[in-house]
Amino acid sequence: MLWSLLKITLFVAVVAALTLGAGYIMESSGGIQITAGGYEFNLGPLQSVIGVIVLIVLLYVVFKLVSLLIAVLKFINGDDTALSRYFDRNRERKGYQALSEGLLALASGEGKLAMAKAQKADRYLHKPALTNLLTAQAAEMTGDTRKAEEVYKRLITNDETRFVGIRGMMKQKLARGDTETALKLAERAFALKPKHPEIQDTLLRLQAEKHDWRGARQTLSAKLKHGALPRDVYKRRDAVLALSQAKDILAEDKPIEAREAAIASAKGSPDLIPAASMAARSYIAQQRPKLAVRLLKKAWSVQPHPDLAAAFAEIAPEETPVERLKRFRTLTSIKPDHRETRLLRAELALAAEDFPEARRAVGDLVEKEPDARVLTVMAAIARGEGAGEAEVRGWLAKALVAPRGPQWVCDNCHQIHGEWMPVCDNCGGFDTLSWTVPPQSDAAPPGAEMLPLIVGAIEDKSEEEAAAREAEAAPEVLDPNPPTEAGEAAAEATEPPVEDAEEVADEPAKEGAK
């Protein structure tokens, strides 16, 4: 609207200026006097202006005629293309002007105008390598995918534009969800231009989705070779691909190859927890526990994780809880203040029925990081120390509504996964899963937020009832020193059941082992 008003204002100003100039010229005196061949011509001011304009037009026509005459003379002299170049020069000027206008229209988001300019440029230029590309992009902008696909197919037939056509067709197939065809097109485009970063990333993602781990590792090597990937990132992603390949090989009942692939992936990236766990189990199967211990200690020093503790426990599955507590000190001495290390020590102490040590290991985690696992461990400690049933239920009720703690979370879409996988099943991101606390924990069941209050009320009521029963029974007690048999029976009644404590204590240990 503002631009239209500006153009109207400018037009009115130009017309007013011309009118004012014409009136000034007509009112002025003098003019131009021309004398030639005994003739004298007197031109007034307005006639002089008109004469100058006519002279300029005549000079332009003369120059054009001279250019045509030169082209004719060259044609007569044997240059067969002289006349065609003369007439094509004007066509090329119009064609390139239409092409530039089409590019500007495409950049400004006017798809229909860009298509019209592309067709006009094609009539003048006869260069489909330029005009077809503009037509395809304009068709995509307007939503005419059929037209865009037709143009891309024409581009594929030309050697100069084959890569552009294949890339355009690949994007069309990806938009439609045809990943099979898109993968084949990406492979063809990669063969034409292996240094193209976009084609490398697209091919790598499609190969990972199709579990073509061998091809994905070759593509990753090409990215490193052409300088599109830092070496440390290459090692990490190659380890992810090697681990994924090992899992597929293991599913095909080829354990030896799977072990080798897992060990290679663990060496390539020690911070890849699933690779370290699988490689350690491979060493255990080969009766090489020292190598398994060394690998797990290295991985634990990078990032402690329950899967590493579970693999470490499998080194000596027949040992007693006390022996396991002693053997695990080689692992828990690494990063002793880490949250996972403290919980592991607490769970091992629970299994050995050393409840004070378990409480010391948990420490202030209840105040700083009260997630479901920490609170469950506290419930097991309370049960083992002989606390009342209400207190144990209170810890479990708090664990029900507490956050779940660290999990496998996608860095791109924040989707939570139950286990590690190379490709996020929600957004398709490659190597985007991290062991971290999700930004938003899962919602608790309806009414679960009231459970701690309910359990607390039950606990208060139980204490009041117990105090009332003691007050009623106090006058009836005649002998301040009850018999030994009754005392032994009372002691046995108040002693916490050992089997139940062991079951509750084993639950966090089993959860940590998973």
Side-chain angles (χ1 to χ4, degrees):
M1 183 66 183
L2 184 60
W3 176 243
S4 300
L5 180 62
L6 182 62
K7 289 192 293 184
I8 293 173
T9 305
L10 182 62
F11 175 76
V12 172
V14 170
V15 171
L18 291 176
T19 304
L20 182 63
Y24 177 77
I25 291 173
M26 293 179 65
E27 291 178 358
S28 62
S29 60
I32 298 176
Q33 184 177 11
I34 302 174
T35 303
Y39 294 95
E40 183 177 318
F41 301 95
N42 294 317
L43 301 177
L46 183 60
Q47 293 174 341
S48 300
V49 173
I50 296 174
V52 171
I53 294 174
V54 171
L55 180 62
I56 293 173
V57 172
L58 289 176
L59 289 175
Y60 176 78
V61 173
V62 169
F63 285 140
K64 287 293 182 182
L65 291 176
V66 171
S67 300
L68 179 60
L69 180 60
I70 293 173
V72 171
L73 293 176
K74 288 183 177 180
F75 178 78
I76 294 173
N77 197 30
D79 190 354
D80 297 336
T81 61
L83 289 176
S84 60
R85 288 202 309 271
Y86 173 79
F87 290 106
D88 289 343
R89 191 178 297 116
N90 188 35
R91 295 174 60 88
E92 287 183 357
R93 182 182 60 80
K94 293 181 180 179
Y96 282 118
Q97 182 179 359
L99 184 63
S100 62
E101 292 175 355
L103 292 174
L104 292 175
L106 184 66
S108 61
E110 299 175 292
K112 293 183 178 179
L113 179 60
M115 288 186 67
K117 294 296 182 180
Q119 293 176 359
K120 181 178 179 181
D122 186 50
R123 288 198 306 268
Y124 286 118
L125 294 177
H126 301 291
K127 292 183 178 181
L130 297 176
T131 57
N132 282 342
L133 180 59
L134 178 59
T135 303
Q137 293 180 351
E140 285 183 347
M141 181 176 291
T142 56
D144 191 356
T145 56
R146 184 184 59 83
K147 178 68 174 178
E149 188 172 349
E150 292 178 358
V151 177
Y152 282 132
K153 287 181 179 179
R154 292 202 298 267
L155 290 172
I156 292 176
T157 58
N158 190 352
D159 294 338
E160 296 179 354
T161 59
R162 181 171 289 114
F163 175 80
V164 177
I166 293 175
R167 177 175 173 270
M169 287 290 296
M170 180 190 68
K171 288 188 173 182
Q172 292 276 318
K173 298 301 180 182
L174 286 175
R176 296 179 184 176
D178 187 2
T179 55
E180 292 285 347
T181 308
L183 177 59
K184 296 178 181 178
L185 292 171
E187 290 173 350
R188 291 182 59 187
F190 181 75
L192 292 175
K193 286 190 176 183
K195 296 182 180 181
H196 198 278
E198 181 188 2
I199 297 299
Q200 292 175 349
D201 295 337
T202 304
L203 178 59
L204 182 63
R205 179 172 60 85
L206 292 174
Q207 287 172 334
E209 290 178 359
K210 299 299 180 182
H211 287 202
D212 183 11
W213 309 118
R214 189 180 301 276
R217 296 184 74 177
Q218 293 176 356
T219 305
L220 196 68
S221 300
K223 287 176 66 67
L224 177 66
K225 178 181 178 182
H226 297 300
L229 198 67
R231 182 166 293 276
D232 55 343
V233 178
Y234 164 77
K235 289 182 178 180
R236 162 75 185 191
R237 295 187 177 178
D238 185 66
V240 172
L241 295 174
L243 174 62
S244 305
Q245 186 178 4
K247 287 187 174 182
D248 286 357
I249 293 173
L250 189 62
E252 297 173 359
D253 296 332
K254 297 179 180 178
I256 297 178
E257 297 180 9
R259 291 172 186 171
E260 294 177 354
I263 293 171
S265 63
K267 290 180 178 179
S269 183
D271 61 335
L272 189 58
I273 295 170
S277 302
M278 182 179 288
R281 290 184 174 92
S282 301
Y283 282 133
I284 295 172
Q286 297 173 6
Q287 302 297 325
R288 304 167 73 182
K290 292 184 179 180
L291 294 179
V293 170
R294 184 186 306 171
L295 180 62
L296 291 173
K297 288 174 64 178
K298 185 177 182 181
W300 191 271
S301 64
V302 176
Q303 183 179 8
H305 192 274
D307 291 348
L308 301 176
F312 196 83
E314 294 178 12
I315 297 176
E318 303 297 333
E319 63 187 351
T320 63
V322 177
E323 293 173 346
R324 176 163 295 180
L325 179 60
K326 182 178 180 180
R327 184 174 64 87
F328 262 80
R329 288 174 184 170
T330 59
L331 192 66
T332 55
S333 61
I334 304 172
K335 289 194 173 182
D337 297 330
H338 193 274
R339 173 186 181 278
E340 189 60 41
T341 304
R342 296 169 65 180
L343 286 176
L344 176 60
R345 285 166 42 206
E347 292 167 356
L348 292 171
L350 282 173
E353 299 185 10
D354 189 354
F355 304 112
E357 175 62 25
R359 184 178 290 275
R360 285 192 297 269
V362 173
D364 58 353
L365 290 179
V366 179
E367 292 79 17
K368 293 183 177 180
E369 301 179 52
D371 56 21
R373 186 178 171 195
V374 172
L375 297 173
T376 304
V377 170
M378 289 303 301
I381 294 174
R383 172 62 62 86
E385 291 178 343
E389 193 68 24
E391 182 180 350
V392 176
R393 288 200 303 268
W395 285 114
L396 294 177
K398 292 179 181 179
L400 181 62
V401 298
R404 294 185 58 186
Q407 301 174 73
W408 289 114
V409 183
C410 178
D411 297 333
N412 292 339
C413 63
H414 305 296
Q415 177 74 13
I416 301 175
H417 298 73
E419 60 180 1
W420 180 88
M421 54 185 62
V423 180
C424 176
D425 56 5
N426 184 47
C427 66
F430 176 72
D431 189 24
T432 57
L433 267 64
S434 301
W435 182 255
T436 183
V437 178
Q440 292 182 354
S441 301
D442 298 338
E449 65 276 2
M450 297 297 296
L451 285 178
L453 300 178
I454 295 173
V455 172
I458 294 175
E459 182 180 355
D460 296 340
K461 185 176 180 181
S462 300
E463 292 178 355
E464 292 176 359
E465 292 177 353
R469 285 195 299 269
E470 291 177 359
E472 293 176 357
E476 298 177 359
V477 179
L478 299 178
D479 191 356
N481 298 320
T484 306
E485 295 179 357
E488 292 176 356
E492 291 177 359
T494 56
E495 186 176 354
V498 178
E499 295 179 357
D500 295 342
E502 290 179 354
E503 291 176 359
V504 176
D506 288 342
E507 289 179 359
K510 293 177 181 178
E511 182 181 355
K514 292 180 182 178

